[in-house]
Amino acid sequence: MTFPGWNPEFQAVLGRLAIAARRRAASPYSGEVPSSVTGRAIEFADYRPYVSGDEPRLLDWRVYARTGKAYVRRQLEDRERMLTLMLDVSGSHDFGAGDAHKGLYARRLAVALAWISASRHEPVRVWLLRNGEARALAPVFTLNDLPRLIAELAAVREGGDTRLGQSVRAALRTRPRGPVVLISDLLHDSWKEACLTLARYECALLQPLAPDEFEPVLDEEVELEDVESGERLPGRLGPVEVEAYQTRLTSFLGEVSAEARRLSLLHLLVRTDAPLVDLVINQMTRAGLLTA
């Protein structure tokens, strides 16, 4: 099956989901997401005294009957929002085998989120992050635009350095209005810098790691290669080394989780051997990123 490799049943489920609105939309364009703009929508905001020129039908007659004073209801208008997806395509994502390949899994996840937003008539902008830069793909406005995005992401090959903090800053120069999702393993020294930059936005961090990154395979003699720099070092990966590695990994993941909580960023650790359908329908809804 070609990229992204899911069946029509899963595609239909995506159309019934929505990106959770954890902040009110700030776009000047009308849409389907509650905003902080007052107008004639359904959701009640507050009251204000009636002044000459107000439409009489906005008067709250129950308040008038109770107080003898004329007040109009102020209500919150719905506004459009854009989903911003930032996808780490650096060399550290060129890891894992088959469907559990970290980069492939991350790109499939990006398509799923784009599908959800486009199904709700919410535009999507995708940025590819590597080498301290951010490359924008053509925006998605409707489901008809998705084949182009799918083709572009299918052609991506992970490689190069991350410089995550610098790449995230480059992507955010456009000052997005709406939810921001960073899909990255965060395996770069500047991950805290990236999180701090994202803290100004309604942001979710999706951190994919391959199975072998959780449980390295024991081997007496190994050659360790930095997938971003290409540097190789001989070494031994026995029980002692694996235990030390897992201790450091646990510490790192705990630090990421704590930093995300401190900055009010939604963080979800993702195993790339988890079925994508389970991640989207169960894990991401429980985490509060998606709603049914």
Side-chain angles (χ1 to χ4, degrees), residues 185-261:
D185 57 16
L186 303 180
L187 297 180
H188 190 267
D189 292 343
S190 64
W191 71 268
K192 284 188 177 181
E193 175 190 339
C195 290
L196 190 61
T197 304
L198 290 165
R200 300 193 301 270
Y201 299 88
E202 177 189 354
C203 181
L205 305 175
L206 302 181
Q207 186 181 13
L209 292 179
D212 286 350
E213 291 178 301
F214 289 98
E215 298 139 2
V217 178
L218 288 171
D219 199 333
E220 287 298 319
E221 300 295 333
V222 296
E223 188 174 56
L224 304 176
E225 179 180 356
D226 186 320
V227 293
E228 295 189 356
S229 69
E231 181 183 1
R232 296 188 177 189
L233 295 173
R236 180 180 183 277
L237 202 59
V240 174
E241 289 78 14
V242 169
E243 183 179 0
Y245 164 81
Q246 290 179 328
T247 298
R248 291 186 63 184
L249 176 64
T250 300
S251 176
F252 167 64
L253 295 178
E255 190 177 3
V256 171
S257 181
E259 185 71 358
R261 285 195 304 272

Side-chain angles (χ1 to χ4, degrees), residues 20-273:
R22 294 184 291 128
R23 295 185 187 176
R24 294 197 176 275
S27 169
Y29 306 106
S30 62
E32 300 181 1
V33 180
S35 74
S36 56
V37 180
T38 54
R40 301 180 184 176
I42 296 174
E43 186 176 350
F44 171 74
D46 60 12
Y47 292 103
R48 66 166 174 78
Y50 175 85
V51 295
S52 178
D54 284 338
E55 293 188 38
R57 66 187 184 87
L58 295 179
L59 279 166
D60 193 306
W61 295 104
R62 287 178 296 181
V63 173
Y64 180 78
R66 189 171 65 250
T67 66
K69 297 180 180 179
Y71 284 89
V72 296
R73 294 170 61 91
R74 298 206 305 166
Q75 296 165 302
L76 298 179
E77 290 187 349
D78 288 348
R79 285 290 186 252
E80 179 189 77
R81 61 178 180 173
M82 173 177 278
L83 171 65
T84 299
L85 291 172
M86 294 189 290
L87 184 59
D88 186 343
V89 294
S90 63
S92 68
H93 279 243
D94 187 15
F95 187 80
D99 287 342
H101 182 272
K102 194 160 46 171
L104 172 62
Y105 194 96
R107 285 182 276 124
R108 293 176 70 211
L109 177 54
V111 173
L113 292 173
W115 199 290
I116 290 169
S117 283
S119 297
R120 296 280 177 161
H121 310 290
E122 296 176 354
V124 183
R125 170 56 61 87
V126 178
W127 297 85
L128 304 182
L129 310 182
R130 72 171 127 210
N131 297 326
E133 300 173 348
R135 180 167 73 90
L137 303 184
V140 171
F141 293 101
T142 69
L143 289 174
N144 292 332
D145 296 325
L146 279 170
R148 181 189 64 239
L149 174 65
I150 290 172
E152 289 177 316
L153 290 179
V156 169
R157 294 298 176 266
E158 289 74 21
D161 190 11
T162 309
R163 282 178 268 165
L164 188 62
Q166 186 176 341
S167 294
V168 166
R169 287 199 309 274
L172 293 178
R173 289 195 186 110
T174 56
R175 300 184 182 277
R177 292 182 175 182
V180 176
V181 177
L182 171 62
I183 306 176
S184 172
D185 57 16
L186 303 180
L187 297 180
H188 190 267
D189 292 343
S190 64
W191 71 268
K192 284 188 177 181
E193 175 190 339
C195 290
L196 190 61
T197 304
L198 290 165
R200 300 193 301 270
Y201 299 88
E202 177 189 354
C203 181
L205 305 175
L206 302 181
Q207 186 181 13
L209 292 179
D212 286 350
E213 291 178 301
F214 289 98
E215 298 139 2
V217 178
L218 288 171
D219 199 333
E220 287 298 319
E221 300 295 333
V222 296
E223 188 174 56
L224 304 176
E225 179 180 356
D226 186 320
V227 293
E228 295 189 356
S229 69
E231 181 183 1
R232 296 188 177 189
L233 295 173
R236 180 180 183 277
L237 202 59
V240 174
E241 289 78 14
V242 169
E243 183 179 0
Y245 164 81
Q246 290 179 328
T247 298
R248 291 186 63 184
L249 176 64
T250 300
S251 176
F252 167 64
L253 295 178
E255 190 177 3
V256 171
S257 181
E259 185 71 358
R261 285 195 304 272
R262 186 181 74 84
L263 297 173
S264 298
L265 304 175
L266 192 156
H267 170 247
L268 184 61
L269 179 63
V270 176
R271 285 186 62 113
T272 61
D273 58 349

